[in-house]
């Protein structure tokens, strides 16, 4: 495992951490029980097969 040779300054640490951003999931329409809902694409099959319930 890599180990830093010197202590990283607080400014550099915060500057590095500020670059990370979470991206919003891509939503796709899925029709369940006659109503169309937008759900994350990776969960679309689970909603369509009834493993998950949209909205709760």
């Amino acid at each position: 495992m890599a180990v830093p040779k010197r202590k990283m300054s607080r400014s550099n640490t915060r500057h590095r951490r500020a670059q990370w951003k979470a991206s919003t999931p891509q939503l796709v329409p899925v029709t369940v029980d006659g109503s169309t809902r937008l759900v994350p694409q990776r969960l679309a099959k689970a909603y369509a097969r009834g493993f998950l319930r949209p909205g709760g």
Side-chain angles (χ1 to χ4, degrees), residues 11-36:
S11 175
N12 283 344
T13 300
R14 290 181 176 166
H15 188 265
R16 186 188 74 248
R17 288 179 181 167
Q19 301 303 313
W20 187 87
K21 298 282 187 290
S23 58
T24 58
Q26 182 180 355
L27 300 179
V28 295
V30 173
T31 303
V32 179
D33 297 332
S35 62
T36 302

Side-chain angles (χ1 to χ4, degrees), residues 7 10 17 43 48 50:
K7 182 177 180 179
R10 180 179 292 177
R17 288 179 181 167
L43 298 176

